[in-house]
Amino acid sequence: MRTLYADIIVDISHEKLDKTFQYRVPERMRDRLEPGACVMIPFGNGNRLIKGYVVSIGDQCQFDPEKIKEIVGLPEKETGVEDKMIALAAWIRRNYGCTMIQALKTVLPAKQTVKKLEHRQLVRLMNREEILSLLGECERKKQVAKARLLKALSEQESIPYEWVTGKLGVSAATVNSIVKVGAAKLVSTESYRNPVKMQALEAAHNTLSSQQQTIVTEVLTDFDAGRRQTYLIHGITGSGKTEVYMQLIGEMIKRGRQAIVLIPEIALTYQTLLRFYQRFGDRVSVMNSTLSPGEKYDQCERAKAGEIDVIIGPRSALFTPFPNLGLIVMDEEQENSYKSESTPKYHARETAMEVAKLYGASVVLGSATPSLEAYYRAGKGEYRLFHLTKRLTGGELPTVHTVDLRQELQEGNRSIFSRKLQELMADRISKGQQTILFLNRRGYAGFVSCRACGEVMKCPHCDVSLSEHKGGRLICHYCGYMQPMPKLCPKCGSKYILGFKAGTQQIEDKLKELYPGVRTLRMDADTTRTKDSYEKILSAFANGEADVLIGTQMIVKGHDFPKVTLVGILAADLSLNASDYRAGERTFQLLTQAVGRAGRGVLPGEAVIQTYQPDHYAITCAAAQDYKSFYEEEILYRELSGYPPAAHMLAVQIYGKEEENVKQLAQRLADVVKSNMDFLQILGPTPANISKINDIYRYVFYAKHAEYDTLVAVKDCVEETLRQWQPRQLSIQFDFDPVNVL
C-alpha cells in the first residue's frame, strides 16, 4: 500500500498561508483525513504538539522520507470558530474549484500587524493646592507651556493626551517633566476600531402586520424546536421585509445568538445600518471593502469577543467569526453581486447555507423578485416560502406607463426622454416632488439592434444576442457562431442599426438643457469612488437637496425615499439584449426594483418604462409587477434549454499570453472531459466575452448536467489532467452556474 503524505498549514495568517509542512499520514487515519481536517502534529525541535490544518493529501514526498514526521491524531476538544472556518474553506474548495490556500484566504480574517487604538489620558496625582503652587513657580520662571498644562490640571483631574498636545500645544518633553515630579501620570487604555459613527436614536418599534408576524412566529417556532431551515420571503417592494429581519434578530439576541445581515451593494450599507443602529445601538457593526485592514480585523476581534451581535455587509461579511451564530439574513438575494467574480467563485446563498449548517443557524432570504434558483428550490420544498403582498404604508404599487421608443422615433422624437416622461418630470419639478432616472446599462457594451423596428441580432443556435467585436464582427459567446455586422436591418431594411451607447453624464446634461435650474445628483462609478461618497449622495437626496437622482443599477435597490413619486427607466432593453441566458430574468428584476422606488410615502407613484420591445414578457410582467407570470414563462425556457436552475453549468476558463496555446489547451481539456464523460453536453471552446485583457488571451468551454456533483467530478477530472500535463504559463478558473457571461 502506497504511503500518503499531507501538506499541513500550522499558522493561519495571511502572511504565512503559503507555507506548508509535510507529514506522513498514519494507516489508521487514511480514510478519515481530507482537506480542511484539523490534526495534531509534532512541531519544532522539541516535538511539541500543535494544531494544524490539512491542505492537500498525495503520495509525492517532497523531502527525505526518513525525516518526515507522522501526524499524531485528531484534537480532542470540540471545534472552535477557526476550525469551523477551515471546514468551510474545504467545502468551498471542493464545490467551487480552487486551491485550499485560496479558500483559506477567502474565509479567514487577515491577521494584521496593526496595533489596537490607544487612548491616553494625563491624570492628576497631586491635590489642587499642590498643582497651584507648582503653577506659581512655573510662572515666575516664565515656563509658559508648563504653566498652561498645570492650569488645565488644576481645573480638571484628567485630560486626553490628544488635547494636551493639540489644543494646549504642549510638547511630550513638557508632559514628561510634569510626570517626573509626580504631579500627574499617563494612563493608556486600548480599544478596537469601530467604523460606525452614528448617534444612537431610539427607533419606534413598528407593530407587525399579520403577514409579518406569521413569518416571525413560524421561523422562531422552528428554531426553538431545533429545526434549522432556509426560508424565502417573497415580499413586494415596500412590504416591510426589513422589519421582519429586525424582529427575528432581536429574538435571536435574546436567545444569546448573533446575526449576519448580507446586503448586495455597499451603496445600501448606510440606510440599512441606520435602521439597524436605531434598533440595536452599538451592538451593530459593518464589514465591507471601504474599511481599512485594521478596521476589518478589529470587527472580527469584536465579534469573537462578544462586543457585537449584528454585522452588516456584502458577501464577505458571511465569514465574520461569531462564536454562536443563530441567523443569516440575505436581503435582495437575487443580486449578482452575491457571486464572487474572483477565485474561488463562490455564491453567498449556497455558502450561507453551509455556514448555517456548521453553526446550527437558520437562513432567511428576502426579495421582491427572487432569483429563479431560490423560487425553484422553494417550489421543490427545499426552502420554506412566505409571501408579503401588502405595502406597509397602505399605498398602492405605482402606475406604470410603457413607452414604445420605435413609435417615438417614427413620430419625430429623437430625445433620450420620451414625451410622457418629459411631461411627468415637468409636473414633479413644479410640485417640488422628486424623480429617479435609472439608466439600465447592464449588457450595454455588446448588443446590436435596429432603432426603427427593435430587431436584435441574435445567435441562430443559442437564442442569445450576438456581441459586437472590433473589425465589424458579431459573435455568440456560447457556441462561437460568427457573422459580419449588417449595414441594414435584415428585418425592415433601416440604416439605423447599431450598438447602444449612453451614459449618466450625457443624461444629466440633456436634463439641464430641458429644465434649466433643475437640481441633479448623479450616482455611478465616477461619483462613488471615495469612501463616504455613497452616504453623501444618498443623504443629500433624502434631505431634498436635489430634484432628480440619475444613476445606474446601484440606485434602484432597497433605497427608501418617501418624496420620490416618479421613476423613469431609460433604455429598458439594454439588459434584455445582453448575450446571456439570464437576460430576461435580470431585466425583469431591475425593472421591478426600479418601479418599486416610486410612491413609497403617502403620495402615489408613477413609473415610465422606455423600451423598443414593449411586448416582451420580461417588460410586460415587470410593468404589472407580476412575478408569478414571469417565473412560469422563464422557467419553461430554462427547462427546454437545460439552463440553471433546471440543470447546472460549469464554465472552465483558460488564460495565457499565447493565443494558440490557450486555444489548444481549451480544446484538449474539452476533449478529455468528453471522452471520460460522454453523457455530458459540452459547449465550446470559444473565445471569452472579452477575449483579451492586459495581453492575456481567454477561452472558455461549458459543461451542462442536471446534477451539480457530476460537474464537481468534471472539475476534479480537469484538475487531475492539469496535474499530469503541467502546462506552463497557462492558468485555469472554474465557475459553477456563472451569473455573468464569461
Side-chain angles (χ1 to χ4, degrees):
M1 189 184 289
R2 62 194 177 124
T3 305
L4 292 181
Y5 299 93
D7 290 325
I8 292 173
I9 289 174
V10 296
D11 184 13
I12 308 297
S13 69
H14 272 216
E15 293 82 8
K16 297 177 183 176
L17 265 179
D18 292 315
K19 176 70 174 168
T20 59
F21 299 89
Q22 201 164 49
Y23 285 81
R24 190 166 54 252
V25 178
E27 279 191 35
R28 69 181 188 283
M29 297 179 72
R30 288 175 72 94
D31 299 327
R32 296 166 65 193
L33 276 197
E34 55 184 31
C38 181
V39 292
M40 300 304 294
I41 49 171
F43 194 74
N45 294 331
N47 279 343
R48 65 191 172 96
L49 283 186
I50 64 166
K51 260 189 198 178
Y53 299 94
V54 177
V55 173
S56 60
I57 300 168
D59 56 4
Q60 297 295 312
C61 185
Q62 297 164 12
F63 310 98
D64 179 357
E66 298 298 316
K67 294 181 179 176
I68 297 278
K69 296 174 185 175
E70 193 167 82
I71 295 170
V72 172
L74 302 174
E76 291 174 17
K77 284 186 185 174
E78 189 185 330
T79 57
V81 173
E82 198 166 74
D83 296 349
K84 285 176 179 150
M85 289 291 112
I86 307 297
L88 179 64
W91 179 87
I92 286 174
R93 176 188 171 277
R94 178 187 180 273
N95 282 274
Y96 294 106
C98 62
T99 66
M100 189 65 183
I101 302 288
Q102 287 168 325
L104 286 167
K105 284 184 176 180
T106 301
V107 306
L108 291 170
K111 275 196 180 170
Q112 296 290 334
T113 52
V114 286
K115 293 179 181 175
K116 283 188 183 178
L117 284 183
E118 191 177 37
H119 299 283
R120 300 169 80 194
Q121 296 268 343
L122 187 65
V123 180
R124 190 171 82 198
L125 291 179
M126 291 179 173
N127 61 37
R128 193 165 183 272
E129 288 69 29
E130 290 171 310
I131 293 287
L132 288 170
S133 169
L134 266 178
L135 171 60
E137 196 181 314
C138 288
E139 285 173 342
R140 282 193 301 277
K141 291 179 180 176
K142 303 254 189 310
Q143 294 171 329
V144 182
K146 203 169 181 178
R148 201 160 54 242
L149 180 53
L150 286 166
K151 186 173 186 304
L153 275 172
S154 72
E155 293 166 358
Q156 53 197 94
E157 290 191 3
S158 73
I159 309 171
Y161 190 73
E162 296 84 18
W163 199 74
V164 171
T165 55
K167 278 264 188 187
L168 295 178
V170 175
S171 69
T174 304
V175 173
N176 289 339
S177 69
I178 282 178
V179 169
K180 212 173 227 182
V181 297
K185 67 175 180 179
L186 276 171
V187 176
S188 290
T189 55
E190 288 185 335
S191 70
Y192 293 116
R193 292 161 183 80
N194 183 355
V196 181
K197 296 170 181 67
M198 287 184 173
Q199 293 292 318
L201 302 165
E202 184 59 36
H205 284 225
N206 298 326
T207 305
L208 298 185
S209 68
S210 58
Q211 287 184 334
Q212 289 173 314
Q213 189 59 57
T214 298
I215 298 171
V216 172
T217 304
E218 293 287 321
V219 172
L220 292 173
T221 301
D222 280 349
F223 188 87
D224 292 338
R227 292 187 293 271
R228 302 294 185 264
Q229 295 196 54
T230 298
Y231 306 88
L232 173 61
I233 302 174
H234 177 204
I236 63 167
T237 52
S239 59
K241 294 183 286 294
T242 305
E243 194 59 43
V244 173
Y245 305 153
M246 289 199 285
Q247 193 73 22
L248 284 169
I249 289 166
E251 291 295 328
M252 286 296 168
I253 291 170
K254 286 179 190 172
R255 289 159 172 77
R257 297 286 196 126
Q258 299 90 39
I260 293 169
V261 180
L262 299 181
I263 51 177
E265 305 262 358
I266 293 173
L268 289 176
T269 306
Y270 176 71
Q271 267 200 336
T272 309
L273 180 59
L274 185 62
R275 292 183 69 177
F276 278 81
Y277 198 79
Q278 287 172 347
R279 183 75 157 258
F280 303 112
D282 59 8
R283 304 292 296 175
V284 176
S285 192
V286 293
M287 183 77 81
N288 63 42
S289 59
T290 67
L291 303 190
S292 69
E295 284 174 328
K296 281 184 186 174
Y297 184 65
D298 277 7
Q299 299 332 293
C300 289
E301 293 302 300
R302 290 177 74 204
K304 280 185 196 170
E307 283 192 15
I308 50 178
D309 295 319
V310 185
I311 201 95
I312 297 170
R315 61 175 185 268
S316 59
L318 192 52
F319 308 118
T320 305
F322 278 124
N324 202 13
L325 184 67
L327 182 69
I328 300 170
V329 170
M330 190 170 165
D331 194 27
E332 307 291 353
E333 68 77 29
Q334 81 286 351
E335 282 299 325
N336 291 344
S337 54
Y338 282 127
K339 177 78 183 277
S340 170
E341 286 302 298
S342 56
T343 303
K345 296 190 173 186
Y346 69 92
H347 198 296
R349 184 177 50 241
E350 278 66 48
T351 309
M353 290 165 68
E354 186 63 22
V355 171
K357 196 188 293 181
L358 289 167
Y359 280 93
S362 297
V363 178
V364 173
L365 313 172
S367 177
T369 54
S371 63
L372 254 72
E373 280 81 357
Y375 208 78
Y376 184 75
R377 286 172 195 163
K380 290 173 71 179
E382 292 175 35
Y383 302 164
R384 202 165 162 201
L385 180 63
F386 293 109
H387 294 279
L388 289 173
T389 56
K390 294 173 184 162
R391 278 196 157 180
L392 278 188
T393 55
E396 294 298 313
L397 287 169
T399 303
V400 181
H401 310 277
T402 304
V403 176
D404 186 344
L405 289 177
R406 297 169 301 184
Q407 196 174 333
E408 290 283 307
L409 184 67
Q410 283 168 15
E411 292 172 8
N413 179 20
R414 292 172 181 268
S415 165
I416 195 160
F417 305 118
S418 63
R419 289 164 298 177
K420 183 69 180 176
L421 182 56
Q422 289 179 40
E423 171 202 321
L424 292 175
M425 279 196 293
D427 174 67
R428 295 316 190 266
I429 292 166
S430 69
K431 288 177 178 171
Q433 296 172 13
Q434 289 180 307
T435 299
I436 287 177
L437 290 181
F438 163 50
L439 176 60
N440 178 13
R441 290 192 67 177
R442 277 235 166 107
Y444 79 100
F447 88 97
V448 171
S449 70
C450 173
R451 296 292 178 268
C453 73
E455 176 73 4
V456 175
M457 299 298 102
K458 287 198 166 188
C459 172
H461 309 294
C462 298
D463 197 31
V464 295
S465 64
L466 298 170
S467 290
E468 186 178 5
H469 280 243
K470 285 180 182 174
R473 295 176 305 151
L474 299 182
I475 296 179
C476 171
H477 291 296
Y478 283 89
C479 71
Y481 171 82
M482 194 185 304
Q483 72 173 57
M485 173 83 169
K487 290 191 169 44
L488 300 174
C489 172
K491 188 173 180 182
C492 73
S494 164
K495 62 182 179 182
Y496 295 109
I497 182 156
L498 65 165
F500 186 96
K501 288 176 179 63
T504 49
Q505 179 76 61
Q506 291 155 290
I507 290 163
E508 187 176 36
D509 295 343
K510 294 279 183 196
L511 195 65
K512 287 179 175 176
E513 274 177 38
L514 269 177
Y515 309 103
V518 68
R519 298 172 304 156
T520 60
L521 278 168
R522 201 155 45 87
M523 194 167 178
D524 54 28
D526 293 329
T527 61
T528 54
R529 283 181 178 156
T530 56
K531 186 170 183 175
D532 300 322
S533 51
Y534 292 103
E535 293 170 31
K536 284 175 184 167
I537 295 168
L538 292 171
S539 56
F541 191 60
N543 293 335
E545 292 171 33
D547 307 305
V548 183
L549 175 63
I550 306 157
T552 49
Q553 46 265 29
M554 62 179 77
I555 67 169
V556 299
K557 298 163 187 168
H559 302 306
D560 203 336
F561 301 113
K563 293 177 190 167
V564 170
T565 58
L566 175 63
V567 170
I569 299 162
L570 312 176
D573 314 275
L574 286 188
S575 56
L576 191 59
N577 295 313
S579 53
D580 184 354
Y581 71 89
R582 294 178 189 267
E585 179 182 10
R586 289 214 179 123
T587 302
F588 173 79
Q589 288 167 345
L590 276 170
L591 300 192
T592 306
Q593 293 283 348
V595 166
R597 295 312 105 202
R600 293 172 79 93
V602 285
L603 296 168
E606 288 183 90
V608 176
I609 298 176
Q610 299 188 167
T611 174
Y612 287 101
Q613 300 176 64
D615 299 325
H616 193 287
Y617 65 92
I619 307 272
T620 57
C621 292
Q625 302 271 290
D626 184 354
Y627 178 85
K628 204 153 188 340
S629 295
F630 169 77
Y631 174 81
E632 285 165 2
E633 184 95 31
E634 183 71 12
I635 200 68
L636 190 62
Y637 154 61
R638 301 283 182 92
E639 285 170 346
L640 288 169
S641 309
Y643 285 127
H648 293 282
M649 285 181 80
L650 168 62
V652 182
Q653 285 181 288
I654 299 92
Y655 302 87
K657 290 188 174 179
E658 301 293 331
E659 184 176 15
E660 194 52 40
N661 292 348
V662 175
K663 187 177 178 181
Q664 282 182 14
L665 181 62
Q667 190 61 59
R668 287 175 69 197
L669 287 173
D671 290 343
V672 166
V673 173
K674 282 177 190 170
S675 62
N676 285 324
M677 303 175 177
D678 56 5
F679 53 87
L680 278 173
Q681 185 182 357
I682 303 291
L683 303 174
T686 179
N689 190 7
I690 303 172
S691 58
K692 186 167 76 166
I693 297 177
N694 290 334
D695 292 322
I696 301 293
Y697 290 92
R698 299 141 53 92
Y699 271 70
V700 61
F701 69 88
Y702 294 88
K704 289 165 80 173
H705 197 268
E707 298 299 325
Y708 191 95
D709 282 349
T710 301
L711 297 184
V712 171
V714 171
K715 180 260 300 179
D716 293 343
C717 170
V718 171
E719 284 180 333
E720 184 54 42
T721 305
L722 291 170
R723 268 193 290 274
Q724 292 170 14
W725 292 354
Q726 295 184 341
R728 291 185 177 184
Q729 297 179 321
L730 293 167
S731 56
I732 309 288
Q733 277 189 3
F734 299 100
D735 194 352
F736 286 83
D737 291 342
V739 298
N740 289 314
V741 182
L742 301 176

